[in-house]
Amino acid sequence: MDHIVRLDSREEAALQAIAERFIARHKGDPVKALKEMIVFNGHLQQRLDALQASRLPQRDASGRRG
């Protein structure tokens, strides 16, 4: 983990409610819900990486920007 998120009590309560609804959508199975969230986050990370790569200046074989 390279980033620690700190929540105040209001944010924690909101996150708890969302988590409970998400688990309920998966018929009360927290492992199934967690697996779906991991897959979903992986897809989002791939999209973010692709966007970031498209915005960076391209480098040639020597490492120079061009």
Side-chain angles (χ1 to χ4, degrees), residues 34-48:
L34 179 60
K35 286 178 182 178
E36 182 177 328
M37 188 58 63
I38 290 168
V39 169
F40 179 68
N41 285 340
H43 291 304
L44 287 177
Q45 188 62 54
Q46 288 174 349
R47 290 175 62 187
L48 286 171

Side-chain angles (χ1 to χ4, degrees), residues 8-62:
D8 63 28
S9 59
R10 183 183 52 81
E11 293 167 323
E12 178 65 35
L15 182 61
Q16 182 70 34
I18 292 167
E20 288 172 0
R21 284 195 311 264
F22 193 71
I23 292 170
R25 266 187 41 198
H26 292 86
K27 299 179 177 127
D29 187 341
V31 173
K32 188 175 180 181
L34 179 60
K35 286 178 182 178
E36 182 177 328
M37 188 58 63
I38 290 168
V39 169
F40 179 68
N41 285 340
H43 291 304
L44 287 177
Q45 188 62 54
Q46 288 174 349
R47 290 175 62 187
L48 286 171
D49 291 346
L51 280 173
Q52 192 174 36
S54 69
R55 292 182 179 165
L56 293 175
Q58 299 299 317
R59 295 178 185 261
D60 63 19
S62 68

